[in-house]
């Protein structure tokens, strides 16, 4: 067999696996309580710098992502999000499960449409806890850190590093962001660059959006 053909046989088929799971009620004792979801991504695609990640996002952040992707995609149509209820009852487990399934289907379709994989805002949404305002600023080059730096920094957070990567000793970059519930804050460690990033992020916090979603 031609050596070129053998080389093609050795190359693994690219895959992107995404799961939306583990809905959790945040600020449960507050009138502004909401549900967020864990997004787990695992891939071998060359489009992704980090091959495994886990973040939490709420419904209105998905709405923001869809608007941004549509703006950049031109005539390419985007899949729909699950229907929005003005006030989703946080104890309505059936409605929350339907929404979880719809959000997962949305991401699966987006990630299997090639044009969206080049959008840095999608990568920051899936692989960092940056809020929408900081994602937009970073994608436009208006932050002291690049898209790649933000993703690598986020990957160093303990909740984002898969056990396999730890075992292989993969070095992903300095710690820059916490991996707690969404919306997440930018945090600094002991080096000056992280403190500068935290200061730069303060005026970029996303404006509050009314409604419990």
């Amino acid at each position: 067999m031609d050596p070129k053909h053998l080389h093609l046989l050795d190359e693994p088929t690219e895959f992107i696996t995404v799961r939306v799971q583990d809905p959790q009620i945040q600020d449960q004792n507050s009138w502004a309580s909401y549900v967020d979801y864990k997004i787990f991504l695992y891939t071998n695609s060359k489009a992704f710098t980090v091959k495994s990640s886990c973040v939490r996002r709420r419904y209105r952040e998905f709405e923001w992502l869809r608007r941004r992707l549509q703006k950049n995609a031109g005539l390419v149509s985007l899949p729909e999000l699950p229907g929005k209820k003005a006030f989703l009852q946080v104890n309505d487990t059936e409605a929350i499960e339907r929404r979880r399934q719809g959000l997962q289907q949305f991401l699966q379709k987006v990630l299997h449409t090639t044009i969206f994989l080049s959008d840095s805002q999608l990568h920051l949404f899936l692989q960092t806890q940056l809020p929408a305002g900081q994602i937009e600023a970073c994608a436009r080059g208006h932050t002291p850190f690049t898209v790649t730096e933000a993703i690598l920094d986020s990957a160093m957070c303990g909740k984002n590093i898969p056990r396999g990567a730890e075992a292989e000793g993969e070095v992903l970059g300095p710690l820059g962001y916490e991996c707690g519930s969404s919306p997440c804050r930018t945090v600094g460690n002991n080096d000056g660059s992280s403190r500068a990033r935290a200061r730069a992020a303060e005026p970029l916090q996303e404006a509050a959006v009314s409604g419990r979603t």
Side-chain angles (χ1 to χ4, degrees), residues 136-179:
E136 289 185 35
C138 184
R140 293 172 182 170
H142 295 166
T143 55
F145 48 88
T146 66
V147 171
T148 299
E149 287 171 344
I151 291 172
L152 291 175
D153 281 3
S154 184
M156 273 301 291
C157 182
K159 293 182 181 179
N160 279 18
I161 301 177
R163 294 297 176 186
E166 288 178 326
E168 295 169 6
E170 184 177 0
V171 178
L172 298 176
L175 173 62
Y177 309 100
E178 64 178 8
C179 294

Side-chain angles (χ1 to χ4, degrees), residues 163-202:
R163 294 297 176 186
E166 288 178 326
E168 295 169 6
E170 184 177 0
V171 178
L172 298 176
L175 173 62
Y177 309 100
E178 64 178 8
C179 294
S181 300
S182 168
C184 203
R185 295 170 296 279
T186 303
V187 297
N189 56 18
N190 292 328
D191 68 53
S193 63
S194 293
R195 289 195 297 271
R197 293 173 189 179
R199 288 195 299 270
E202 289 174 0

Side-chain angles (χ1 to χ4, degrees), residues 66-83:
R66 190 180 186 281
R67 290 194 301 269
R68 299 305 303 176
L69 291 177
Q70 187 64 79
K71 182 176 181 179
N72 294 339
L75 298 177
V76 178
S77 61
L78 269 98
E80 296 294 330
L81 288 167

Side-chain angles (χ1 to χ4, degrees), residues 13 57 110 114 149 153 155 184:
T13 302
R57 296 289 182 185
V110 165
T114 304
E149 287 171 344
D153 281 3
C184 203

Side-chain angles (χ1 to χ4, degrees), residues 1-198:
M1 183 179 292
D2 191 325
K4 292 182 179 179
H5 292 166
L6 286 173
H7 177 68
L8 291 175
L9 290 174
D10 289 339
E11 290 185 356
T13 302
E14 283 198 357
F15 66 86
I16 303 174
T17 300
V18 65
R19 295 286 182 267
V20 177
Q21 52 197 21
D22 187 29
Q24 291 187 5
I25 302 171
Q26 305 298 338
D27 298 332
Q28 188 166 5
N29 297 323
S30 166
W31 66 269
S33 61
Y34 62 93
V35 178
D36 67 4
Y37 305 82
K38 179 165 66 176
I39 305 173
F40 174 73
L41 176 74
Y42 180 59
T43 182
N44 67 349
S45 171
K46 296 176 182 177
F48 289 85
T49 303
V50 174
K51 307 306 181 184
S52 179
S53 61
C54 180
V55 298
R56 299 196 70 88
R57 296 289 182 185
R58 60 187 297 183
Y59 182 83
R60 77 182 188 193
E61 292 177 295
F62 280 85
E63 290 184 305
W64 169 86
L65 175 66
R66 190 180 186 281
R67 290 194 301 269
R68 299 305 303 176
L69 291 177
Q70 187 64 79
K71 182 176 181 179
N72 294 339
L75 298 177
V76 178
S77 61
L78 269 98
E80 296 294 330
L81 288 167
K84 179 177 180 179
K85 297 175 67 174
F87 293 97
L88 178 69
Q89 298 296 322
V90 295
N91 59 352
D92 188 344
T93 55
E94 291 185 3
I96 290 173
E97 173 59 17
R98 288 194 298 271
R99 175 172 283 186
R100 183 201 65 76
Q101 293 177 6
L103 294 175
Q104 179 167 302
Q105 291 168 5
F106 168 77
L107 286 180
Q108 287 173 335
K109 292 175 181 177
V110 165
L111 289 170
H112 287 87
T113 305
T114 304
I115 189 173
F116 299 133
L117 295 181
S118 62
D119 195 316
S120 58
Q121 293 173 112
L122 174 64
H123 291 256
L124 290 167
F125 177 88
L126 292 171
Q127 298 201 294
T128 78
Q129 286 290 170
L130 292 175
Q134 292 183 37
I135 289 177
E136 289 185 35
C138 184
R140 293 172 182 170
H142 295 166
T143 55
F145 48 88
T146 66
V147 171
T148 299
E149 287 171 344
I151 291 172
L152 291 175
D153 281 3
S154 184
M156 273 301 291
C157 182
K159 293 182 181 179
N160 279 18
I161 301 177
R163 294 297 176 186
E166 288 178 326
E168 295 169 6
E170 184 177 0
V171 178
L172 298 176
L175 173 62
Y177 309 100
E178 64 178 8
C179 294
S181 300
S182 168
C184 203
R185 295 170 296 279
T186 303
V187 297
N189 56 18
N190 292 328
D191 68 53
S193 63
S194 293
R195 289 195 297 271
R197 293 173 189 179

